[in-house]
Amino acid sequence: MAHSTDNKALGFKDTIVIGMMTFALFLGAGNVIFPAALGLEAGTNLLPTMAGFLFTAVGLPAFIMVALGMVGKACQFTAPLTGGLGRAFWVSLFIAIGPAFAMPRAVTVAYEMGLRPFVEGDYLLPFTIVFSLVILFLTYNSQKLVDWIGKLMTPAMIAILAAISVAALLFPLGSIAEPVNQLAITPVTEGMMQGYMTMDALGAVGYGWVIMQAINSRGVTSSAQVAKSTMHIAMIYSVLMGGCYLALSYVGATANTIAQGATNGGEILSLYVYEIFGGFGQLLLAAIMILACLSTAVGVAQANAEYFSSTFKVNQTKVALVVVIVNCFIANFGLDQIITFSLPGILILCPVALALVLASVVSHHFPQVKPAHNAAMILTLVFGTIDAMSIIGVIPASLDSFFAANLPLYTAHTSWLIPCVTAIVVQSLISVLTGSATKAPEAI
């Protein structure tokens, strides 16, 4: 018997294309250059370090995508929140992963590594204008987003990264050295913390709008099929992103001979590809950066346009234009200034997003349990702020020592986790004991 339209499944080809699109949305410049630096520092502890790193840098985003497929819509993550907490969270998230931080960072990194090595003088302003126009063009052609990113950009990026990885295997530029700093003592824990700091978990919540739109546009609307399709897409993303991280970390681990004095993964990759490929290598690296940054910027611009147009009932085309203009303006302040002013907010938003996802998964599987979103969000906001202050180094020494001795998981920058889980468990027990099942309110 033929399936009804409402139970239509996502085809194999569409699953591959959307999976590759998802990989491209996450593969920003930081995702390319960070593993190389981590690999160089991890040295002979590369495998345990990357095991921890992959758990948080790939596992958490994949988990959030699967959770999104379960609940059906990203807005359900905040549906049980009272007052304006839900809308405040989404507005903050989309501004952060859009024009305030992720997009300007993508533009400036694309300039620093994609154009600046080949020119003399400062061309940041004209570059940001041209780059932003390309972002705007791709965002306006939303119906072609999957085709552009899934069928063109992603295969090109995979081919470029594969060329560098194969070269690292065949022509290593040095033996793997001993690990340094904390990676010599607790490589798994340190790898997990560094993976958490990629903040792709935050991006996974925002990218959900694009992923769901892509699935629904293929005629897949039933909750069971959407959940199944999302799981398959998350698996494709995990394989591609995990392979990318492992390959680039190995490049860094075997580049110690030529990477002495390098301060970041970008320098390591630049030195490596120049040593192996010469001038062609520089062009190769430039292509990686431009494609990675462009795909990320298009993804977050589309997500912003989708959210603000549907929430505030404004024209999506106008929203995209405003987002790209603001991005172009902020990008000209430079990468250092963007990170300095935006990082604290990002570090607070990330654990809050994870807390809401955890609460939503529990509510989905146990509908008789009263949602614990409010308590989970507030507690995570408090303890997540403490973690953020610790990471950026603004906590007084006396308080830092006190928290390190008395606050569980503080040294791993995840002191929010236990209070969050406790709030969910306590709320669940109260609901079961009192029988106070409560239907979640409508999405904000």
Side-chain angles (χ1 to χ4, degrees), residues 41-172:
E41 294 182 354
T44 55
N45 276 345
L46 180 64
L47 289 181
T49 298
M50 291 307 296
F53 178 82
L54 292 177
F55 177 79
T56 48
V58 178
L60 285 182
F63 166 72
I64 290 175
M65 282 187 275
V66 172
L68 177 61
M70 291 179 183
V71 302
K73 293 182 179 180
C75 59
Q76 292 301 319
F77 286 154
T78 55
L81 291 173
T82 57
L85 289 177
R87 181 164 294 184
F89 168 78
W90 285 112
V91 169
S92 300
L93 183 146
F94 280 106
I95 290 177
I97 69 170
F101 181 66
M103 288 179 67
R105 182 182 65 176
V107 174
T108 52
V109 171
Y111 169 74
E112 291 290 338
M113 302 194 68
L115 178 64
R116 192 170 183 179
F118 307 98
V119 298
E120 294 183 1
D122 185 1
Y123 293 93
L124 180 59
L125 178 58
F127 180 86
T128 55
I129 294 174
V130 173
F131 203 83
S132 296
L133 287 174
V134 175
I135 295 171
L136 192 63
F137 170 77
L138 293 176
T139 304
Y140 278 167
N141 289 271
S142 58
Q143 71 277 8
K144 296 180 180 179
L145 179 63
V146 173
D147 294 333
W148 272 90
I149 295 182
K151 294 181 180 179
L152 178 62
M153 294 183 186
T154 309
M157 284 190 287
I158 292 175
I160 292 170
L161 293 173
I164 294 177
S165 303
V166 170
L169 290 171
L170 298 178
F171 313 107

Side-chain angles (χ1 to χ4, degrees), residues 13 21 81 103 113 130 144 243 260 314 338 413 438-439:
K13 181 180 178 181
M21 178 200 76
L81 291 173
M103 288 179 67
M113 302 194 68
V130 173
K144 296 180 180 179
Q260 298 299 323
V314 293
I338 293 170
H413 305 306
T438 303
K439 182 180 178 180

Side-chain angles (χ1 to χ4, degrees), residues 167-189:
L169 290 171
L170 298 178
F171 313 107
L173 298 181
S175 58
I176 299 179
E178 292 298 315
V180 298
N181 303 325
Q182 196 66 22
L183 289 168
I185 305 172
T186 55
V188 175
T189 302

